[in-house]
């Protein structure tokens, strides 16, 4: 177990918040990397990077909204240089499956001279319960582009478990874990699972990428919508229609099924009428 704090970049995000909580539950010191933290971290303010990294043993690194965002790969390269200068031991990078710019980000970390672990993730199940698709599901629809393509959607709790294992256990240095759920599902099949779980009809509504952009923009603004739509256009073409074994390799167990995610999210009131 590391004795120095672990920096969690994006500690307020979907994966970062879970990783930080799990590390703290193990009584590991966590430095929460966010703009409002005691030692702030801001991707757009490189002067914050050295103070955030100084004294940290390892770092979990995410880039919001995605490594596909213009300039993200260049910032990651500069960050890795600073990390090396401050003596960081290991970077665990969250990457995106089937994404060109995410692959470039992986190359940056792999060639940084630092110990590394890469966690390359499929689409998040929690986008349906915590993100831009939550409100449409409350209203009875699952609007997604991509037609009948299938996706091995993953529960973020599995991602967090893989990241924490990579940061706290031996045997993960140099690994690239491609993490997916246990089965391929179309968005129509996901809607059926949600219907069964919630006891009411959830209709998959095939939409254009233009409509997808408009929906995301309404929830998160244009710049987030631009990136997510670019990622959707790139990845929802069937290239990721295969299951990978990253969760099993990292944790020695199978990933959680989408039905288990839906049941757990519903039990917490994720789709209650009031957000």
């Amino acid at each position: 177990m590391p004795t120095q704090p672990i920096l969690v970049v994006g500690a307020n995000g979907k994966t970062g918040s879970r990783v930080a909580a799990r590390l703290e539950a193990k009584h590991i010191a966590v430095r929460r990397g966010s703009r409002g933290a005691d030692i702030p971290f801001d991707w757009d303010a490189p002067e914050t990077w050295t103070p955030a990294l100084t004294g940290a043993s390892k770092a979990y690194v995410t880039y919001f909204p995605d490594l596909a965002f213009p300039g993200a790969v260049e910032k990651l390269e500069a960050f890795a240089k600073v990390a090396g200068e401050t003596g960081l031991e290991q970077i665990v990078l969250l990457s995106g499956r089937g994404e060109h710019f995410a692959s470039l980000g992986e190359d940056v970390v792999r060639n940084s001279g630092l110990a590394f672990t890469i966690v390359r993730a499929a689409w998040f199940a929690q986008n349906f319960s915590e993100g831009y698709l939550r409100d449409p599901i409350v209203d009875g629809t699952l609007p997604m582009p991509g037609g009948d393509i299938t996706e091995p959607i993953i529960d973020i709790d599995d991602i967090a478990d893989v990241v924490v294992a990579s940061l706290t256990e031996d045997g993960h240095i140099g690994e690239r874990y491609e993490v997916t759920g246990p089965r391929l599902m179309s968005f129509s099949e996901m809607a059926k699972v949600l219907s069964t779980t919630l006891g009411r009809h959830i209709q998959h509504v095939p939409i254009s990428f233009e409509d997808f952009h408009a929906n995301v923009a309404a929830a998160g603004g244009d710049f987030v919508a631009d990136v997510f739509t670019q990622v959707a256009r790139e990845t929802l073409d069937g290239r990721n229609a295969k299951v990978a074994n990253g969760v099993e390799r990292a944790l020695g167990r199978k990933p959680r099924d989408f039905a288990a995610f839906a049941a757990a999210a519903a039990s917490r009131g994720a789709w209650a009428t009031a957000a």
Side-chain angles (χ1 to χ4, degrees):
M1 291 290 186
T3 56
Q4 296 170 284
I6 293 176
L7 173 65
V8 177
V9 174
N12 294 332
K14 288 188 181 72
T15 65
S17 60
R18 287 168 167 83
V19 168
R22 282 163 167 76
L23 291 172
E24 289 170 345
K26 290 178 173 287
H27 306 291
I28 295 171
V30 173
R31 184 173 294 168
R32 290 177 174 259
S34 67
R35 291 173 181 170
D38 292 338
I39 303 176
F41 180 92
D42 186 343
W43 280 113
D44 294 326
E47 64 274 13
T48 66
W49 302 353
T50 295
L53 283 162
T54 298
S57 59
K58 304 179 181 183
Y60 172 53
V61 178
T62 63
Y63 192 97
F64 179 82
D66 193 272
L67 284 170
F69 192 75
V73 174
E74 291 77 11
K75 287 181 182 177
L76 180 60
E77 187 169 20
F79 172 86
K81 184 175 184 294
V82 174
E85 292 169 349
T86 60
L88 195 77
E89 298 171 12
Q90 179 192 7
I91 288 179
V92 177
L93 175 71
L94 180 65
S95 178
R97 194 173 189 237
E99 297 180 36
H100 171 67
F101 286 103
S103 179
L104 295 180
E106 293 176 13
D107 290 342
V108 165
V109 170
R110 190 179 293 110
N111 297 324
S112 66
L114 297 169
F116 69 88
T117 310
I118 292 168
V119 181
R120 178 188 283 179
W123 277 68
F124 298 169
Q126 276 76 2
N127 286 336
F128 295 165
S129 60
E130 302 172 19
Y132 47 87
L133 290 167
R134 183 257 174 201
D135 288 349
I137 289 172
V138 169
D139 293 336
T141 63
L142 175 56
M144 282 294 292
D148 293 328
I149 65 100
T150 55
E151 170 74 19
I153 192 164
I154 187 165
D155 189 321
I156 287 179
D157 286 325
D158 281 336
I159 298 174
D161 287 346
V162 170
V163 170
V164 169
S166 298
L167 289 166
T168 62
E169 300 174 0
D170 294 333
H172 301 285
I173 299 297
E175 293 288 349
R176 187 189 72 194
Y177 294 120
E178 189 162 347
V179 294
T180 72
R183 58 172 167 153
L184 291 171
M185 300 179 70
S186 67
F187 293 116
S188 178
E189 290 169 330
M190 294 176 206
K192 289 177 182 177
V193 169
L194 291 169
S195 297
T196 299
T197 301
L198 297 175
R200 55 188 176 83
H201 185 58
I202 307 297
Q203 177 68 43
H204 170 229
V205 179
I207 59 173
S208 68
F209 288 106
E210 290 75 19
D211 286 341
F212 178 77
H213 183 281
N215 291 346
V216 177
D222 282 336
F223 92 98
V224 173
D226 290 346
V227 176
F228 284 164
T229 303
Q230 176 182 328
V231 171
R233 286 183 183 275
E234 183 178 18
T235 60
L236 295 181
D237 63 354
R239 71 180 64 188
N240 289 336
K242 55 185 181 296
V243 172
N245 65 354
V247 173
E248 284 189 88
R249 288 203 300 115
L251 303 177
R253 66 163 174 81
K254 292 187 179 298
R256 297 176 180 91
D257 190 76
F258 183 75
F261 149 75
S267 70
R268 292 192 297 268
W271 295 290
T273 301

